[in-house]
Amino acid sequence: FRSAVTLCNIALAAGNLLLVYLLARRWLSDAPLAVWLAVGLCVVDNSFAVWAVLGLEVHLLAFFMLLALWASGSTLPQRRWILGAALLGAHLTRPDAGLFCAVLLANHALDAWLEWRRGLRAEATARVAQTLTAAGVWVVGYGAYFYLRYRYYGQLLPNTYYLKLGGPMDAWARGIAYLHGFLNERAFAPVLALCAGLALRVPAIRALLVYNVLHAAYVVYVGGDFFAGHRFFVPEIPQLALLSAVGAAELARHANSARSAELLARAGISSQHLVGAAAMASACLLGVVFQRGVVRGPLQGEVLTWGRDLTRQTRLFRWLGEQRLAEASIATCLIGHTGFYSSARVIDMCGVIDPEVARRHVPNFGKGKAGHEKLASAAETLAKHPTFIVQYIIPGDLWRYG
């Protein structure tokens, strides 16, 4: 099962690269170097590559968002249904993807209004129909899921929302450091995406730029994530690669304008020189991003740092499962692979599946390790009579037992 999930995730990553290529060709048909820059920025990104084999939601979310972008500019008759299904898939994958859905559809509505004002009534009507159909698929589908989930759990939002955001919090400092770490790990190459503002005439690029600015602000507000590799930004890596390529192409177009060409000619610089310099700069950029990712990315921070420890844990939990201890329970914060491999009842100490812990208020909320600030006390855990307790040490020695 684990191998199947990993293979599916690798296939999704390959699909994301294909969609990046198709979108880049659509927007940059006259700039082939920029097309390959977009693909290359994904390939050399350590987080993009490593998270493709770690089995979480990031590549699935990236796939649905890229598919929605592709469908929104497609000429296929079924594009409105594909767009709606992609938006629904994105929102079901992670709740905060609702922001992407809202921005993309709002941009469609803005385009329809602009077309109507220019007298393009038929085009505006077709765009309104496409937007309403896609919105209907998204809203009805997610509404049905939301209703069923609420009936089952009795709460409006997932338990992890209350765990990570419930209560008065101030995580701005942690979030700014998280954003700075993401940019710094890539030698600030994603900042090039802001130059895509020169191409706001392209509707999809406008929507993509607005969404990524808003999403970055949201991630800063919530204080980021504790996983190495900036998991909250991984689904946006292909989008930032596309925006960066568009920004680079726009800068090149301005450099090749008649006025710029005249100034460069006076300096003895030809267009061939510019193309060569751009190719060399792109190669250097890709090399720097790759090198910094190897040193600072999740390969080092997640796989190599924790790989042996997780392997030992897996062996332990497999062994416990083989003992077939009746009514055995394990108290731990590592609830995922603990229950999967041991088949024992898991007692959560970090509130991920414990509504009482997730809803409590803690002092200085937002200043500690993201997602690990609300903890069950030793007394609360022992009151549930666990058979085993996995030792868990919080940095700063907030508490420990084993």
Tab-separated table of all heavy atoms in Angstrom, residues 209-243:
chain	number	residue	atom	x	y	z
A	209	LEU	N	-1.097	35.533	-10.005
A	209	LEU	CA	-0.305	36.479	-9.226
A	209	LEU	C	-1.061	36.930	-7.987
A	209	LEU	O	-0.505	36.967	-6.879
A	209	LEU	CB	0.066	37.674	-10.097
A	209	LEU	CG	1.121	38.630	-9.552
A	209	LEU	CD1	2.419	37.894	-9.265
A	209	LEU	CD2	1.363	39.766	-10.532
A	210	VAL	N	-2.338	37.256	-8.136
A	210	VAL	CA	-3.154	37.679	-6.997
A	210	VAL	C	-3.255	36.564	-5.963
A	210	VAL	O	-3.094	36.788	-4.756
A	210	VAL	CB	-4.559	38.110	-7.463
A	210	VAL	CG1	-5.488	38.317	-6.264
A	210	VAL	CG2	-4.489	39.381	-8.289
A	211	TYR	N	-3.509	35.342	-6.434
A	211	TYR	CA	-3.639	34.222	-5.496
A	211	TYR	C	-2.358	33.989	-4.715
A	211	TYR	O	-2.396	33.802	-3.486
A	211	TYR	CB	-4.029	32.938	-6.239
A	211	TYR	CG	-3.786	31.707	-5.400
A	211	TYR	CD1	-4.580	31.434	-4.284
A	211	TYR	CD2	-2.724	30.844	-5.675
A	211	TYR	CE1	-4.338	30.335	-3.481
A	211	TYR	CE2	-2.486	29.739	-4.873
A	211	TYR	CZ	-3.294	29.487	-3.791
A	211	TYR	OH	-3.039	28.406	-2.986
A	212	ASN	N	-1.212	33.998	-5.384
A	212	ASN	CA	0.040	33.693	-4.690
A	212	ASN	C	0.412	34.767	-3.674
A	212	ASN	O	0.975	34.455	-2.620
A	212	ASN	CB	1.167	33.477	-5.698
A	212	ASN	CG	1.200	32.068	-6.239
A	212	ASN	OD1	1.823	31.187	-5.656
A	212	ASN	ND2	0.504	31.825	-7.343
A	213	VAL	N	0.090	36.024	-3.954
A	213	VAL	CA	0.334	37.083	-2.978
A	213	VAL	C	-0.572	36.886	-1.756
A	213	VAL	O	-0.116	36.956	-0.603
A	213	VAL	CB	0.108	38.465	-3.606
A	213	VAL	CG1	0.114	39.552	-2.542
A	213	VAL	CG2	1.172	38.754	-4.658
A	214	LEU	N	-1.855	36.598	-1.996
A	214	LEU	CA	-2.788	36.383	-0.891
A	214	LEU	C	-2.434	35.126	-0.101
A	214	LEU	O	-2.509	35.112	1.131
A	214	LEU	CB	-4.218	36.277	-1.426
A	214	LEU	CG	-4.817	37.554	-2.020
A	214	LEU	CD1	-6.209	37.281	-2.578
A	214	LEU	CD2	-4.877	38.667	-0.984
A	215	HIS	N	-2.048	34.076	-0.817
A	215	HIS	CA	-1.708	32.833	-0.127
A	215	HIS	C	-0.452	32.994	0.723
A	215	HIS	O	-0.375	32.464	1.842
A	215	HIS	CB	-1.495	31.709	-1.145
A	215	HIS	CG	-1.152	30.397	-0.521
A	215	HIS	ND1	0.145	29.936	-0.434
A	215	HIS	CD2	-1.925	29.464	0.082
A	215	HIS	CE1	0.153	28.769	0.177
A	215	HIS	NE2	-1.075	28.459	0.507
A	216	ALA	N	0.534	33.732	0.223
A	216	ALA	CA	1.735	33.980	1.018
A	216	ALA	C	1.385	34.737	2.297
A	216	ALA	O	1.908	34.429	3.378
A	216	ALA	CB	2.756	34.763	0.194
A	217	ALA	N	0.474	35.704	2.188
A	217	ALA	CA	0.037	36.447	3.376
A	217	ALA	C	-0.670	35.519	4.362
A	217	ALA	O	-0.484	35.630	5.583
A	217	ALA	CB	-0.882	37.593	2.966
A	218	TYR	N	-1.478	34.595	3.846
A	218	TYR	CA	-2.177	33.636	4.710
A	218	TYR	C	-1.186	32.723	5.434
A	218	TYR	O	-1.316	32.483	6.647
A	218	TYR	CB	-3.142	32.807	3.862
A	218	TYR	CG	-3.596	31.529	4.525
A	218	TYR	CD1	-4.569	31.546	5.520
A	218	TYR	CD2	-3.042	30.300	4.161
A	218	TYR	CE1	-4.973	30.375	6.144
A	218	TYR	CE2	-3.444	29.128	4.772
A	218	TYR	CZ	-4.413	29.172	5.761
A	218	TYR	OH	-4.800	28.010	6.384
A	219	VAL	N	-0.196	32.218	4.720
A	219	VAL	CA	0.795	31.325	5.337
A	219	VAL	C	1.582	32.060	6.419
A	219	VAL	O	1.879	31.507	7.474
A	219	VAL	CB	1.735	30.732	4.263
A	219	VAL	CG1	2.876	29.957	4.912
A	219	VAL	CG2	0.957	29.819	3.320
A	220	VAL	N	1.911	33.318	6.161
A	220	VAL	CA	2.609	34.110	7.173
A	220	VAL	C	1.719	34.280	8.403
A	220	VAL	O	2.179	34.166	9.545
A	220	VAL	CB	3.017	35.484	6.597
A	220	VAL	CG1	3.502	36.419	7.706
A	220	VAL	CG2	4.114	35.309	5.547
A	221	TYR	N	0.432	34.546	8.181
A	221	TYR	CA	-0.499	34.744	9.303
A	221	TYR	C	-0.599	33.503	10.186
A	221	TYR	O	-0.581	33.596	11.416
A	221	TYR	CB	-1.883	35.113	8.770
A	221	TYR	CG	-2.968	35.025	9.818
A	221	TYR	CD1	-3.045	35.948	10.860
A	221	TYR	CD2	-3.907	33.988	9.786
A	221	TYR	CE1	-4.026	35.849	11.834
A	221	TYR	CE2	-4.884	33.877	10.753
A	221	TYR	CZ	-4.941	34.813	11.778
A	221	TYR	OH	-5.909	34.700	12.742
A	222	VAL	N	-0.699	32.318	9.576
A	222	VAL	CA	-0.851	31.091	10.368
A	222	VAL	C	0.488	30.599	10.919
A	222	VAL	O	0.510	29.657	11.718
A	222	VAL	CB	-1.523	29.967	9.551
A	222	VAL	CG1	-2.872	30.410	9.027
A	222	VAL	CG2	-0.635	29.504	8.394
A	223	GLY	N	1.583	31.199	10.504
A	223	GLY	CA	2.877	30.837	11.070
A	223	GLY	C	3.565	29.676	10.402
A	223	GLY	O	4.505	29.098	10.965
A	224	GLY	N	3.134	29.297	9.188
A	224	GLY	CA	3.804	28.222	8.470
A	224	GLY	C	3.536	26.847	9.053
A	224	GLY	O	2.580	26.623	9.788
A	225	ASP	N	4.432	25.921	8.727
A	225	ASP	CA	4.288	24.521	9.077
A	225	ASP	C	5.592	24.046	9.711
A	225	ASP	O	6.632	24.682	9.560
A	225	ASP	CB	3.984	23.712	7.806
A	225	ASP	CG	3.688	22.252	8.100
A	225	ASP	OD1	2.913	21.987	9.028
A	225	ASP	OD2	4.240	21.386	7.404
A	226	PHE	N	5.539	22.920	10.430
A	226	PHE	CA	6.749	22.449	11.106
A	226	PHE	C	7.595	21.512	10.248
A	226	PHE	O	8.767	21.271	10.547
A	226	PHE	CB	6.394	21.750	12.431
A	226	PHE	CG	5.807	20.377	12.260
A	226	PHE	CD1	6.619	19.257	12.322
A	226	PHE	CD2	4.455	20.209	12.032
A	226	PHE	CE1	6.085	17.986	12.165
A	226	PHE	CE2	3.917	18.943	11.880
A	226	PHE	CZ	4.732	17.837	11.951
A	227	PHE	N	7.032	20.965	9.163
A	227	PHE	CA	7.792	20.049	8.312
A	227	PHE	C	8.924	20.784	7.585
A	227	PHE	O	8.772	21.949	7.189
A	227	PHE	CB	6.885	19.402	7.270
A	227	PHE	CG	6.146	18.193	7.747
A	227	PHE	CD1	4.772	18.209	7.868
A	227	PHE	CD2	6.821	17.027	8.063
A	227	PHE	CE1	4.082	17.097	8.310
A	227	PHE	CE2	6.142	15.905	8.499
A	227	PHE	CZ	4.768	15.939	8.627
A	228	ALA	N	10.035	20.089	7.382
A	228	ALA	CA	11.095	20.635	6.543
A	228	ALA	C	10.616	20.689	5.096
A	228	ALA	O	9.798	19.887	4.668
A	228	ALA	CB	12.351	19.758	6.644
A	229	GLY	N	11.138	21.652	4.342
A	229	GLY	CA	10.755	21.734	2.933
A	229	GLY	C	9.583	22.622	2.652
A	229	GLY	O	9.063	22.635	1.534
A	230	HIS	N	9.098	23.377	3.668
A	230	HIS	CA	8.045	24.366	3.460
A	230	HIS	C	6.821	23.772	2.759
A	230	HIS	O	6.433	24.183	1.669
A	230	HIS	CB	8.586	25.553	2.648
A	230	HIS	CG	9.794	26.176	3.277
A	230	HIS	ND1	11.084	25.800	2.957
A	230	HIS	CD2	9.909	27.120	4.240
A	230	HIS	CE1	11.932	26.505	3.683
A	230	HIS	NE2	11.258	27.308	4.479
A	231	ARG	N	6.212	22.797	3.433
A	231	ARG	CA	5.096	22.044	2.843
A	231	ARG	C	3.942	22.939	2.391
A	231	ARG	O	3.289	22.659	1.381
A	231	ARG	CB	4.572	21.021	3.861
A	231	ARG	CG	3.400	20.182	3.376
A	231	ARG	CD	3.102	19.052	4.334
A	231	ARG	NE	2.596	19.517	5.599
A	231	ARG	CZ	1.301	19.460	5.962
A	231	ARG	NH1	0.411	18.970	5.131
A	231	ARG	NH2	0.921	19.889	7.141
A	232	PHE	N	3.676	24.029	3.119
A	232	PHE	CA	2.556	24.897	2.750
A	232	PHE	C	2.778	25.604	1.422
A	232	PHE	O	1.818	26.049	0.796
A	232	PHE	CB	2.306	25.938	3.839
A	232	PHE	CG	1.528	25.400	5.027
A	232	PHE	CD1	1.107	24.081	5.068
A	232	PHE	CD2	1.229	26.219	6.095
A	232	PHE	CE1	0.402	23.584	6.154
A	232	PHE	CE2	0.515	25.743	7.185
A	232	PHE	CZ	0.099	24.426	7.217
A	233	PHE	N	4.033	25.724	0.983
A	233	PHE	CA	4.320	26.404	-0.278
A	233	PHE	C	4.589	25.445	-1.433
A	233	PHE	O	4.669	25.887	-2.580
A	233	PHE	CB	5.534	27.322	-0.112
A	233	PHE	CG	5.247	28.619	0.587
A	233	PHE	CD1	5.976	28.987	1.709
A	233	PHE	CD2	4.255	29.469	0.138
A	233	PHE	CE1	5.720	30.191	2.360
A	233	PHE	CE2	3.987	30.668	0.774
A	233	PHE	CZ	4.725	31.029	1.894
A	234	VAL	N	4.733	24.154	-1.169
A	234	VAL	CA	5.079	23.215	-2.239
A	234	VAL	C	4.041	23.197	-3.371
A	234	VAL	O	4.420	23.182	-4.552
A	234	VAL	CB	5.307	21.795	-1.671
A	234	VAL	CG1	5.509	20.784	-2.801
A	234	VAL	CG2	6.531	21.787	-0.758
A	235	PRO	N	2.712	23.207	-3.094
A	235	PRO	CA	1.769	23.228	-4.214
A	235	PRO	C	1.890	24.466	-5.097
A	235	PRO	O	1.480	24.443	-6.265
A	235	PRO	CB	0.398	23.205	-3.512
A	235	PRO	CG	0.661	22.607	-2.175
A	235	PRO	CD	2.024	23.086	-1.799
A	236	GLU	N	2.468	25.545	-4.547
A	236	GLU	CA	2.626	26.777	-5.318
A	236	GLU	C	3.952	26.840	-6.073
A	236	GLU	O	4.160	27.771	-6.858
A	236	GLU	CB	2.519	27.990	-4.388
A	236	GLU	CG	1.103	28.363	-3.995
A	236	GLU	CD	0.479	27.352	-3.042
A	236	GLU	OE1	1.206	26.822	-2.182
A	236	GLU	OE2	-0.720	27.091	-3.165
A	237	ILE	N	4.849	25.890	-5.853
A	237	ILE	CA	6.140	25.925	-6.552
A	237	ILE	C	5.958	25.909	-8.073
A	237	ILE	O	6.592	26.710	-8.782
A	237	ILE	CB	7.049	24.769	-6.078
A	237	ILE	CG1	7.567	25.054	-4.664
A	237	ILE	CG2	8.224	24.547	-7.034
A	237	ILE	CD1	8.359	23.926	-4.035
A	238	PRO	N	5.098	25.048	-8.646
A	238	PRO	CA	4.892	25.114	-10.107
A	238	PRO	C	4.303	26.444	-10.558
A	238	PRO	O	4.663	26.951	-11.631
A	238	PRO	CB	3.914	23.960	-10.376
A	238	PRO	CG	4.076	23.037	-9.224
A	238	PRO	CD	4.365	23.905	-8.055
A	239	GLN	N	3.408	27.020	-9.747
A	239	GLN	CA	2.825	28.310	-10.110
A	239	GLN	C	3.871	29.413	-10.080
A	239	GLN	O	3.923	30.272	-10.965
A	239	GLN	CB	1.684	28.634	-9.148
A	239	GLN	CG	0.566	27.614	-9.153
A	239	GLN	CD	-0.457	27.889	-8.062
A	239	GLN	OE1	-0.634	29.019	-7.616
A	239	GLN	NE2	-1.142	26.854	-7.617
A	240	LEU	N	4.717	29.399	-9.047
A	240	LEU	CA	5.781	30.402	-8.963
A	240	LEU	C	6.793	30.230	-10.093
A	240	LEU	O	7.342	31.215	-10.598
A	240	LEU	CB	6.472	30.306	-7.608
A	240	LEU	CG	5.622	30.726	-6.405
A	240	LEU	CD1	6.329	30.368	-5.103
A	240	LEU	CD2	5.313	32.212	-6.453
A	241	ALA	N	7.034	28.975	-10.489
A	241	ALA	CA	7.929	28.723	-11.620
A	241	ALA	C	7.347	29.320	-12.901
A	241	ALA	O	8.068	29.950	-13.694
A	241	ALA	CB	8.162	27.225	-11.779
A	242	LEU	N	6.053	29.137	-13.092
A	242	LEU	CA	5.396	29.711	-14.273
A	242	LEU	C	5.451	31.235	-14.243
A	242	LEU	O	5.774	31.877	-15.247
A	242	LEU	CB	3.949	29.236	-14.341
A	242	LEU	CG	3.729	27.798	-14.812
A	242	LEU	CD1	2.324	27.326	-14.470
A	242	LEU	CD2	3.967	27.692	-16.320
A	243	LEU	N	5.134	31.810	-13.088
A	243	LEU	CA	5.156	33.271	-12.979
A	243	LEU	C	6.567	33.812	-13.171
A	243	LEU	O	6.764	34.866	-13.793
A	243	LEU	CB	4.609	33.692	-11.617
A	243	LEU	CG	3.103	33.506	-11.400
A	243	LEU	CD1	2.729	33.822	-9.961
A	243	LEU	CD2	2.299	34.395	-12.363
